[in-house]
Amino acid sequence: MEISQLETPVAIVDLDRLEANITRLQNYLDEHGIANRPHIKTHKIPEIAHLQLRAGAIGITCQKLGEAEVMAQAGIEDIFLPYNIIGQSKLAHLVRLARRVRLSLTADSEFTLRGLSAAAYRERLELELLVEFDTGGQRCGVQSPQEAAGLARLITRLPGLRFAGLMTYPLNDRTGLFVRETKALLQGDGLAVERVSVGGTPCMWEAHHHPEISEYRAGMYIYGDRYTVQSGAVTLEDCALQVICTVVSRPTADRGILDGGSKTFSSDLLGLDGHGLILEYPEARIYSQSEEHGHVDFSRCERRPEIGERVTVIPNHCCVVSNLFNQMVGVRGDQVEVIWPVAARGALQ
């Protein structure tokens, strides 16, 4: 089948670019002795995760239990879940999963640790725990090396848990100092920080400047999008994920309407101007969206599209686009080579 035969809106993945992105980051991390543990929340597709593993990744990262379950069912055996798991139902789900795969986790509070400990102890399991620390992202994570060291010591006292290291997102200039100070605090306790896991596609090429880190988690690098292009992490030519839309209306001389709106691209702007880049009309601006309509201003374009014309859009944020489509269509040139179900789509629990 040719791409031109696909119904729109459709998400396509350029397989040559996808494979090149996988190889490029793997080679870089190998060169600097950093383990690669890619984040699958970007693509949510087991077949792509297996491509990353075959290229040299030591395991994968999942953001939610549901994602991890999908990947475990697909035969992936080493999964990092850097999220606070809370509640009896989720903890029961967690220990069932931990019996099937090598599972490592994070926590940033005594509350979370005690829940994990009780669940693991009941099932006679040992869970690997990394303490999450905040480097300024203002999401989860302890705020000081003293807090990190305190949780590390608590992990060693709680049954069913083993202290495995430290984790943060994103990598930045605060990371190294935080790790060094935490290590110094734990030295007297004889506690080794085995893993220092960091992440973030925009800063991935800076990893070799941080000797404290041992493991890298990047997700968006595999597809690329407008945000990662703006960050300098990838180029427009690296972007493997594209969304093909059709111009379904030209109500005025300057305005066009695409058949993809917020249910295709999401509403993420990420500080960018407009909701995506139209490759055929780079001067155009997708200035607004309704659920099934993309509102485009073509006034700055020398040529304007006709009704029925198909256009190719690089989305602002590839991760959310993945979660909006049931499948990704893998292409080489103008030919469809594979159709992958987005197996972990909607796995938010």
Side-chain angles (χ1 to χ4, degrees):
M1 178 187 293
E2 294 185 355
I3 295 175
S4 61
Q5 296 174 278
L6 297 169
E7 294 186 7
T8 64
V10 60
I12 65 169
V13 176
D14 184 306
L15 297 174
D16 291 328
R17 294 182 180 186
L18 178 86
E19 292 162 2
N21 291 341
I22 291 172
T23 299
R24 187 182 303 114
L25 180 61
Q26 187 66 54
N27 288 347
Y28 165 76
L29 294 175
D30 286 346
E31 178 185 352
H32 295 287
I34 301 169
N36 184 21
R37 188 181 287 276
H39 211 314
I40 62 85
K41 73 179 178 65
T42 295
H43 57 75
K44 294 174 173 277
I45 297 172
E47 291 88 346
I48 295 181
H50 279 293
L51 290 176
Q52 293 170 303
L53 291 167
R54 286 196 292 271
I58 62 165
I60 64 169
T61 305
C62 296
Q63 198 68 7
K64 294 294 184 73
L65 271 170
E67 290 179 349
E69 183 67 35
V70 169
M71 296 295 151
Q73 289 174 353
I76 294 174
E77 298 178 345
D78 191 328
I79 299 174
F80 182 35
L81 188 59
Y83 204 87
N84 290 316
I85 305 299
I86 293 172
Q88 291 305 311
S89 177
K90 287 185 178 179
L91 289 168
H93 186 179
L94 175 75
V95 294
R96 289 195 299 271
L97 183 61
R99 289 196 176 279
R100 300 167 53 196
V101 301
R102 182 192 173 194
L103 189 65
S104 50
L105 305 152
T106 60
D108 67 353
S109 71
E110 180 176 344
F111 181 93
T112 303
L113 287 177
R114 291 195 179 278
L116 291 168
S117 171
Y121 181 70
R122 281 194 299 270
E123 299 297 324
R124 299 181 181 179
L125 292 173
E126 183 177 76
L127 298 174
E128 292 185 28
L129 261 294
L130 283 74
V131 174
E132 181 172 1
F133 64 96
D134 181 11
T135 52
Q138 297 185 348
R139 299 199 310 192
C140 301
V142 297
Q143 300 299 298
S144 69
Q146 290 74 21
E147 289 178 86
L151 288 185
R153 296 181 186 113
L154 179 60
I155 290 169
T156 65
R157 297 195 301 269
L158 290 174
L161 305 183
R162 186 178 76 82
F163 175 62
L166 302 170
M167 168 265 173
T168 194
Y169 172 88
L171 172 67
N172 59 29
D173 291 339
R174 304 182 190 183
T175 304
L177 179 60
F178 196 107
V179 172
R180 292 191 298 271
E181 290 186 359
T182 304
K183 284 183 174 181
L185 291 169
L186 293 174
Q187 189 172 13
D189 301 276
L191 290 179
V193 178
E194 299 170 9
R195 284 168 62 186
V196 177
S197 180
V198 301
T201 292
C203 48
M204 62 188 178
W205 305 121
E206 300 299 315
H208 66 287
H209 294 303
H210 299 265
E212 299 82 9
I213 70 176
S214 61
E215 173 179 289
Y216 207 89
R217 313 179 317 275
M220 298 161 73
Y221 81 99
I222 197 164
Y223 283 159
D225 53 22
R226 284 184 79 202
Y227 175 71
T228 51
V229 169
Q230 179 177 267
S231 76
V234 304
T235 68
L236 193 59
E237 290 71 28
D238 297 325
C239 289
L241 174 64
Q242 303 170 352
V243 180
I244 301 174
C245 294
T246 299
V247 178
V248 294
S249 179
R250 285 289 312 282
T252 71
D254 292 336
R255 186 168 82 244
I257 302 296
L258 306 182
D259 60 354
S262 62
K263 287 184 176 177
T264 297
F265 297 106
S266 91
S267 299
D268 278 10
L269 285 172
L270 299 176
L272 299 164
D273 182 25
H275 295 275
L277 173 67
I278 302 177
L279 294 180
E280 295 84 356
Y281 299 92
E283 296 85 8
R285 180 171 176 266
I286 306 174
Y287 64 90
S288 182
Q289 296 182 117
S290 41
E291 291 182 27
E292 308 292 355
H293 300 81
H295 306 240
V296 188
D297 177 5
F298 289 102
S299 63
R300 292 182 293 178
C301 303
E302 290 186 12
R303 183 179 72 84
R304 286 86 185 276
E306 301 293 333
I307 294 174
E309 186 173 332
R310 291 155 74 99
V311 296
T312 310
V313 182
I314 302 295
N316 288 352
H317 188 183
C318 56
C319 302
V320 289
V321 171
S322 292
N323 199 52
L324 290 169
F325 279 86
N326 288 328
Q327 59 190 26
M328 290 285 158
V329 179
V331 303
R332 291 192 198 274
D334 63 356
Q335 297 294 313
V336 173
E337 185 170 305
V338 65
I339 297 178
W340 287 314
V342 184
R345 176 178 184 257
L348 304 178
Q349 296 177 331

